Amino acid sequence: MESKMNRLENKVALITGAAKGLGEAIARGYSREGSAVVISDIDLDNLKKVEQDLSESDAGILALGLDVTQEEQWKEVINTIIERFGRLDIVVNNAGIGTHGNIETTSFDGWKKLLNINLDGVFLGTKYGVEAMAMNGNKGSIINMSSIAGIVGDPELLAYSASKGAIRLFSKSAALHLAKNKTGIRVNTIHPGYMNTDLIQLVPDPDEMLKAVPMDTFGDPDMIAQGAIYLGSDESAFTTGSELVIDGGYTAQ
């Protein structure tokens, strides 16, 4: 009997913000499904720990420092991936930060810093991901991490909501361009709800917020990894410009 092929076998994936949280969970999920995984972050200590944990992967693991706001670093990382693996099939633009603040309390410097990381980083990752995938004959999948805060407003997550909403429509625009130009490159977004990660600390009262989640629980990061596996795999070959919402029913209300 033939063994079943892993869902991401023979693919090479780059995941940003992979030192912990959702990015780490996605890296572990991708490795289990047979992808060569390039993990990147500015947190080099935790990044090395993830690399060591995944070092026995048959497909390969590579850790690269990356400040997603720096264009030259993006170029260097992409070049290193092409030199090491010969191709790039999947980019998961996950790196981001969150700050708590409303229209009165958010400073202009804080606003600019958050948008620089959350939005400029996704722009650069998508732009240079597409450029690398063109070397594959215009095939690949780009997955941009948005949020439920990119679908519904939150009075105390002003800058974060703005960045995640922008990612949502930026990704649709890029997806349409790539589809209309007959490439095989797809762009989709994932919209996590309240997950058991460090970002849950953005919520002043997590127990109170839990009451607003119809399924009455916070999500596990592996649930997001499963969504990213689907969007990175050939199973989603007809899916582009779409939003995958994983939120326990929060935005259905």
Side-chain angles (χ1 to χ4, degrees):
M1 181 182 295
E2 292 186 11
S3 61
K4 184 179 179 181
M5 178 178 284
N6 289 325
R7 295 165 72 190
L8 299 176
E9 198 162 329
N10 300 321
K11 295 188 184 295
V12 179
L14 168 63
I15 303 165
T16 69
K20 57 185 177 181
L22 300 183
E24 178 185 354
I26 293 168
R28 294 183 185 280
Y30 272 35
S31 183
R32 287 193 301 269
E33 290 295 340
S35 174
V37 179
V38 181
I39 52 175
S40 67
D41 209 297
I42 58 172
D43 182 353
L44 299 182
D45 290 339
N46 279 324
L47 193 68
K48 284 296 181 183
K49 292 177 183 176
V50 177
E51 182 185 32
Q52 289 170 2
D53 287 348
L54 300 179
S55 61
E56 295 183 4
S57 165
D58 292 336
I61 177 74
L62 176 65
L64 298 173
L66 172 62
D67 179 342
V68 295
T69 69
Q70 300 300 310
E71 185 174 17
E72 290 305 313
Q73 290 189 29
W74 270 106
K75 293 177 182 179
E76 291 170 7
V77 164
I78 295 295
N79 286 339
T80 300
I81 293 170
I82 299 302
E83 289 173 3
R84 170 72 178 271
F85 297 103
R87 59 187 296 118
L88 180 60
D89 303 286
I90 306 166
V91 176
V92 182
N93 287 309
N94 169 73
I97 61 171
T99 57
H100 192 259
N102 56 49
I103 188 58
E104 294 184 284
T105 61
T106 300
S107 70
F108 189 34
D109 285 343
W111 167 268
K112 289 187 290 184
K113 178 182 178 180
L114 186 143
L115 290 182
N116 186 212
I117 295 170
N118 289 13
L119 191 53
D120 294 355
V122 169
F123 165 76
L124 291 170
T126 303
K127 181 177 180 64
Y128 288 105
V130 167
E131 186 175 291
M133 290 170 188
M135 301 176 192
N136 301 348
N138 279 327
K139 292 182 180 180
S141 174
I142 294 174
I143 303 163
N144 293 331
M145 197 63 66
S146 184
S147 167
I148 55 172
I151 296 175
V152 296
D154 188 309
E156 298 300 327
L157 295 176
L158 180 80
Y160 184 76
S161 295
S163 71
K164 295 302 185 178
I167 288 169
R168 179 185 179 213
L169 288 181
F170 162 83
S171 300
K172 291 181 184 297
S173 295
L176 288 171
H177 167 78
L178 294 165
K180 289 178 180 293
N181 281 276
K182 311 302 182 185
T183 78
I185 303 173
R186 301 175 291 106
V187 186
N188 295 285
T189 52
I190 297 179
H191 298 256
Y194 292 104
M195 315 300 293
N196 279 317
T197 69
D198 290 347
L199 282 181
I200 199 66
Q201 300 307 317
L202 283 175
V203 181
D205 187 345
D207 290 335
E208 186 65 26
M209 182 55 68
L210 189 58
K211 296 177 184 178
V213 180
M215 294 187 75
D216 194 33
T217 185
F218 293 127
D220 186 273
D222 192 56
M223 297 171 180
I224 305 303
Q226 291 300 318
I229 289 168
Y230 165 70
L231 290 175
S233 75
D234 294 338
E235 298 163 13
S236 58
F238 196 54
T239 304
T240 195
S242 293
E243 306 162 11
L244 179 55
V245 182
I246 306 172
D247 70 349
Y250 184 88
T251 56
Q253 301 174 99

